[in-house]
Amino acid sequence: YRLVAEQVIYHSDRSSRVTYGILELYEREFAKVLAPLGVSLSINRQLRYVTALPRHAKAGTATVAQTLFALVLRGLYDEGVRAGGLTEDGEVLCDYIELQEFHLMTGRDLPTRGELDTLLRSAKRWGIARRLEDDDSGHLTSLQEQSAGGVAIRPAIVDVLGETALIRVAQWGAAREVAHA
């Protein structure tokens, strides 16, 4: 249930290590159980995470703001990978300044802090990003209050938002340029 509800289980999350271990150990059995539900199971043993993705995604479940934010995060993740900016858990760390790319990629202003917090909660629920923590207690600080950065873009973003997502970002940018020309 937890895998289907959260979509991604990371070994690097302290509360998910046992769950990840069970899923990795019994991968075939879990894949058989999830198949009739239309969910495919995938384990990335190198970066140590498990994804449960629906084979027949329901269109229109995310808002435009959520979709744009997720696509911008995917673009920032790919830029970080190309620049060699991965952590040992495969995450790309992104500070508030780098999130300003949202404006460059979409032509829209970066959402306000309240809206940004809501978008980050959605991204965390989808398993594609998390706020950086200020200590090991799990206490999260506001994105604006963090000096070293704000968001860790998680490696499963590649699985959740595949290559078609990158094409959408490029199409969005091209359509925006044509509209301004």
Side-chain angles (χ1 to χ4, degrees):
Y1 172 78
R2 186 169 169 210
L3 177 63
V4 172
E6 293 181 22
Q7 187 167 311
V8 183
I9 301 289
Y10 290 94
H11 180 270
S12 61
D13 293 345
R14 210 177 347 197
S15 63
S16 298
R17 289 185 179 141
V18 172
T19 305
Y20 172 84
I22 291 169
L23 289 165
E24 183 181 38
L25 187 61
Y26 299 105
E27 176 183 6
R28 287 186 184 145
E29 289 79 3
F30 279 103
K32 286 178 188 175
V33 169
L34 293 172
L37 300 174
V39 176
S40 63
L41 180 76
S42 172
I43 298 180
N44 184 321
R45 287 179 172 80
Q46 182 181 4
L47 297 174
R48 299 173 73 169
Y49 65 87
V50 180
T51 57
L53 299 174
R55 285 190 216 122
H56 310 290
K58 194 163 112 180
T61 57
T63 66
V64 172
Q66 289 171 328
T67 302
L68 289 175
F69 187 67
L71 292 173
V72 167
L73 290 177
R74 174 63 201 262
L76 290 171
Y77 184 82
D78 287 348
E79 286 178 23
V81 169
R82 280 191 297 274
L86 289 176
T87 65
E88 67 180 44
D89 293 325
E91 297 176 332
V92 170
L93 304 181
C94 177
D95 63 16
Y96 187 75
I97 306 293
E98 291 171 306
L99 283 178
Q100 296 298 327
E101 290 282 321
F102 185 88
H103 176 70
L104 296 174
M105 292 177 157
T106 65
R108 296 180 179 199
D109 290 332
L110 185 66
T112 63
R113 184 168 37 167
E115 293 169 337
L116 189 60
D117 286 343
T118 302
L119 292 172
L120 283 169
R121 275 194 295 278
S122 296
K124 181 180 180 187
R125 188 176 66 245
W126 297 332
I128 62 173
R130 66 177 177 84
R131 283 186 231 172
L132 294 176
E133 299 174 355
D134 63 344
D135 59 18
D136 288 336
S137 69
H139 175 65
L140 298 176
T141 60
S142 169
L143 190 59
Q144 298 273 351
E145 297 169 359
Q146 298 174 17
S147 59
V151 178
I153 306 170
R154 307 199 82 178
I157 195 166
V158 174
D159 298 317
V160 175
L161 298 172
E163 292 299 316
T164 56
L166 295 178
I167 294 168
R168 287 183 189 162
V169 170
Q171 289 172 342
W172 178 270
R176 195 170 49 86
E177 287 177 14
V178 168
H180 286 90

